[in-house]
Amino acid sequence: MPSPYLIVTVAVALGVGIDTLVKAIALDLSVLTVTTWRFVFGSGFALTLFIVRKRPMPRLDAIRFHVLRGVVQLITALSFFWALTQIALAEATVMGFMAALMVPAMGRLILKEKISPVATAAALAGFCGAAFALSAQATGGPEGNRVAGALAAFTAAVGYALTLVLIRLRTRKEDTDTIAMFGNVMPAALLLLLMLVLNVTSPNAPPVFPKVTNLLPLFALGGVAFCVWWLMSEAYRHAEAQRLAPFEYLALPMSVTAGFFVFGEVPSWRLYVGAMIIIAGCLAIAFEDRLPFKRFRTD
């Protein structure tokens, strides 16, 4: 089997592709529509794999767990996708880095994994880095509500950190196919229900079914998103959450490149400084055992 670090790196690259596609699609469709059909098409891929491999249906208590995880993923996806319409791609990516710094605390609360002073200091430094990164707007970025966009991205980071830890928790009892299937089906079902209710109660609600011309990019979005979550689930099965999460910093050069060539966005120098602070914190957590003072104290 490939290294879980390689698997999570591939997943990150595909995730940047998803962000770029969502940002482009959201120019014509509502964020609610994009998010709903991302999960609907993702469910098709996930259910197919689940059935082909003849995975057993989990018990009722497990299904209740997946409903909770589905709600968390729904809020995370809606928050981040909306943030992409308000701030630059690279800025949203940097805010997403905060998830890696929140994972140790989530892991402590839910998985009972130990959290060290290094992880605590890294998280505090990361918050400062994120604030500095967003203190200047990117050239060519969307002219949206930057404060609301940053808050939405932060909310998504909290939800993403929680989702990663919940995946780690569930991999102790279930296979990757089952986790990925529920990770798509539950949000899809909840979002379709929400859209149906909105269409009945509000005349200004976005239509449940998108135009035929939008189906292909939404189908691609669902397929790639499913691949990301399957890879993430597989990686987190074989390594601790706080060890894998920092590798998501690789998304920065990828998102800067995509933002420049696709949307003409040029981030401020402050974004790079803030990102480096966050990345330094992530690396400190990932390689804490190799730090000189750590080795000295251990030996």
Side-chain angles (χ1 to χ4, degrees):
M1 174 189 168
S3 164
Y5 301 107
L6 175 61
I7 293 174
V8 81
T9 299
V10 173
V12 168
L14 292 176
V16 173
I18 289 175
D19 297 343
T20 306
L21 185 57
V22 167
K23 193 175 179 68
I25 297 175
L27 297 174
D28 299 320
L29 295 174
S30 71
V31 171
L32 183 59
T33 300
V34 173
T35 308
T36 299
W37 287 92
R38 165 261 178 271
F39 282 112
V40 169
F41 284 121
S43 296
F45 289 97
L47 277 170
T48 299
L49 188 62
F50 182 82
I51 294 171
V52 167
R53 295 196 176 186
K54 299 179 180 179
R55 300 301 189 189
M57 182 62 66
R59 297 185 305 177
L60 183 60
D61 60 332
I63 293 176
R64 287 197 296 265
F65 175 90
H66 287 299
V67 171
L68 171 62
R69 184 167 68 91
V71 172
V72 175
Q73 284 187 238
L74 184 157
I75 295 172
T76 301
L78 282 174
S79 298
F80 190 75
F81 288 174
W82 186 79
L84 287 171
T85 67
Q86 304 299 308
I87 57 180
L89 182 62
E91 291 174 332
T93 298
V94 169
M95 288 299 295
F97 288 161
M98 296 302 298
L101 300 175
M102 298 175 195
V103 165
M106 297 284 186
R108 173 61 179 171
L109 291 173
I110 299 174
L111 304 178
K112 307 304 179 184
E113 294 178 350
K114 293 182 179 180
I115 180 171
S116 67
V118 171
T120 303
L124 293 175
F127 282 110
C128 296
F132 189 79
L134 292 174
S135 60
Q137 185 170 359
T139 303
E143 296 181 359
N145 188 326
R146 287 178 53 75
V147 175
L151 289 175
F154 179 78
T155 300
V158 175
Y160 186 51
L162 179 56
T163 298
L164 292 178
V165 174
L166 290 176
I167 288 175
R168 172 70 174 167
L169 176 63
R170 206 63 205 168
T171 54
R172 297 173 177 177
K173 301 179 180 180
E174 291 178 349
D175 59 88
T176 302
D177 298 337
T178 302
I179 294 172
M181 186 272 287
F182 277 106
N184 283 271
V185 171
M186 286 302 178
L190 294 170
L191 283 166
L192 281 174
L193 178 61
L194 174 61
M195 289 197 73
L196 288 171
V197 171
L198 289 175
N199 272 264
V200 171
T201 59
S202 174
N204 298 321
V208 176
F209 298 98
K211 296 179 181 179
V212 176
T213 53
N214 296 127
L215 289 179
L216 182 58
L218 289 172
F219 179 80
L221 179 63
V224 176
F226 166 71
C227 291
V228 170
W229 280 108
W230 192 91
L231 290 170
M232 282 292 187
S233 299
E234 191 64 21
Y236 277 80
R237 174 184 297 279
H238 297 283
E240 286 189 2
Q242 67 181 24
R243 300 299 180 187
L244 286 177
F247 280 81
E248 297 216 14
Y249 79 86
L250 292 172
L252 178 59
M254 299 175 189
S255 63
V256 169
T257 302
F260 176 76
F261 284 106
V262 180
F263 306 108
E265 299 171 347
V266 180
S268 164
W269 64 271
R270 295 187 181 187
L271 179 132
Y272 297 103
V273 174
M276 291 305 107
I277 295 174
I278 297 174
I279 290 171
C282 293
L283 291 176
I285 294 173
F287 302 104
E288 179 181 354
D289 292 338
R290 301 182 185 181
L291 294 176
F293 67 84
K294 182 73 173 182
R295 292 200 303 270
F296 175 80
R297 187 173 60 190
T298 301
D299 295 341

